[in-house]
Amino acid sequence: MGLLTGKNALIFGLANDKSIAWGIAQAFAREGAQLGFSYAGEALEKRVKPLASHLGVDFVEQCNVASDDQIANVADKAAKRFGQVDIIVHSIGFANKDELSGHFYNTSRAGFHLAMDISVYSFVALARAFQPIMRKGGALLTLTYFGAVKVAPNYNMMGVAKAALEASTRYMASDFGPQGIRVNAISAGPIRTLAAMGVSGFRDMYKNFADMAPMRENVTPEDCGNAALYLCSDMASHVTGEVLYVDSGYNIMAAADPREKKEG
Ligand code: NAD
Ligand code: 0WE
């Protein structure tokens, strides 16, 4: 018997086999969850469909989270297919490239709105759309980054959006607590995914992270999958409104330890 046997889980934000969402999907499948996937747009269909069939998943729906209609449409289809849903995973973030370099104060009004809409409001919108079919004992989960709390050079607008996402996690934990539904976030260390590619300076910060983190190792989508498994299973009953760091301990450090690099 798996930790998620008998539970239905919908995962939003699968792009390819490097996605954090894919690490989560694999952990959930291993523990017996019935899965459904949602992806942003047509261009990703040819990547997502084969991943779905690899895990025997036949609920695969397109949903651009900028659209209330598309969100309502997946919620409708999920209700027909699953009846009730136990777990929603939100693994989505987006800002225009212009907003991810230079000075934060140069963020445009439209760029600010777009990043907040796709990276923050969509979590709230999904929670509301699925509320009528969420089962008591259910869980909502989102993905965040340390740039929400401390300044990460170039992360800029996304850092501000992640701060709002973490606050939204707490407010929704308060809203949904009485219904027995928990709301949490995982704050992951830098991972080489599609969303991290082409980000200026990502390579250096990826390397710097492993040098600075107590465990001297980068983190993987599988690490996030196992943490997500905990947070969305009954093992975490009564854990809500939390941000769980999956970061080799990076966030506890104030400076690099000069004594040693990785043992080996
Ligand atoms: P990814 O590119 O695999 O996933 C991001 C997903 O967001 C993609 O599937 C993309 O299609 C989706 N998306 C973007 N705009 C959308 C829209 N309008 N509608 C629906 N979906 C949309 O990259 P990832 O690194 O797995 O990112 C997943 C989450 O993890 C994001 O919230 C990201 O901020 C967060 N995160 C990533 C890292 C990292 O270093 N990779 C670290 C911490 C947190
Ligand atoms: O949340 C993220 C990625 C967010 C992201 C990335 C892109 C790149 C392509 C959002 N929108 C876009 N839009 C694009 O057009 N991470 C935590 C990974 C990440 O992104 C950074 C980082 C890290 C770490 C950007 C700058 C600095 C560090």
Side-chain angles (χ1 to χ4, degrees):
M1 174 107 167
L3 286 169
L4 300 182
T5 300
K7 293 194 195 278
N8 302 324
L10 289 182
I11 300 178
F12 290 78
L14 188 56
N16 58 33
D17 65 353
K18 307 283 186 289
S19 293
I20 294 173
W22 180 237
I24 295 172
Q26 287 176 296
F28 283 12
R30 185 183 81 222
E31 296 295 332
Q34 170 125 290
L35 295 178
F37 293 141
S38 173
Y39 58 96
E42 209 116 330
L44 291 171
E45 188 174 332
K46 64 177 186 302
R47 298 242 181 283
V48 172
K49 285 267 165 81
L51 291 173
S53 53
H54 180 78
L55 294 180
V57 173
D58 60 9
F59 186 93
V60 186
E61 295 295 333
Q62 188 178 316
C63 177
N64 180 339
V65 295
S67 158
D68 288 330
D69 286 348
Q70 291 189 30
I71 290 173
N73 184 46
V74 242
D76 219 53
K77 285 182 169 154
K80 291 196 172 84
R81 173 70 171 69
F82 296 108
Q84 289 198 296
V85 171
D86 300 280
I87 298 166
I88 303 274
V89 176
H90 173 270
S91 187
I92 292 170
F94 188 79
N96 276 327
K97 239 180 161 174
D98 302 352
E99 260 67 59
L100 296 173
S101 65
H103 292 294
F104 168 68
Y105 70 71
N106 285 325
T107 301
S108 69
R109 192 182 296 273
F112 194 105
H113 286 164
L114 178 71
M116 293 297 279
D117 188 24
I118 305 303
S119 312
V120 189
Y121 184 74
S122 64
F123 187 41
V124 182
L126 286 177
R128 189 172 57 254
F130 281 90
Q131 183 190 8
I133 60 165
M134 284 297 291
R135 191 180 278 135
K136 197 175 161 68
L140 309 180
L141 180 73
T142 189
L143 271 298
T144 184
Y145 177 62
F146 194 38
V149 177
K150 300 287 178 186
V151 173
N154 296 315
Y155 198 59
N156 297 0
M157 183 57 224
M158 278 306 297
V160 172
K162 291 303 194 188
L165 181 68
E166 292 180 11
S168 302
T169 299
R170 291 185 285 272
Y171 277 89
M172 292 206 292
S174 171
D175 285 345
F176 290 115
Q179 300 165 44
I181 293 163
R182 299 177 299 102
V183 189
N184 291 292
I186 287 173
S187 185
I191 301 175
R192 288 179 168 130
T193 62
L194 196 60
M197 294 301 173
V199 162
S200 61
F202 184 84
R203 253 191 96 85
D204 287 343
M205 76 159 312
Y206 184 85
K207 165 96 179 41
N208 170 270
F209 175 93
D211 290 341
M212 174 101 145
M215 300 190 74
R216 306 287 192 275
E217 282 177 1
N218 285 95
V219 307
T220 64
E222 290 67 37
D223 295 327
C224 297
N226 288 325
L229 171 63
Y230 160 68
L231 285 172
C232 295
S233 76
D234 296 340
M235 300 301 288
S237 64
H238 301 108
V239 175
T240 196
E242 291 293 332
V243 178
L244 178 62
Y245 281 82
V246 177
D247 71 343
S248 300
Y250 183 92
N251 78 94
I252 69 167
M253 302 301 290
D257 189 329
R259 289 170 301 187
E260 48 166 337
K261 295 247 166 164
K262 185 176 162 59
E263 282 173 35

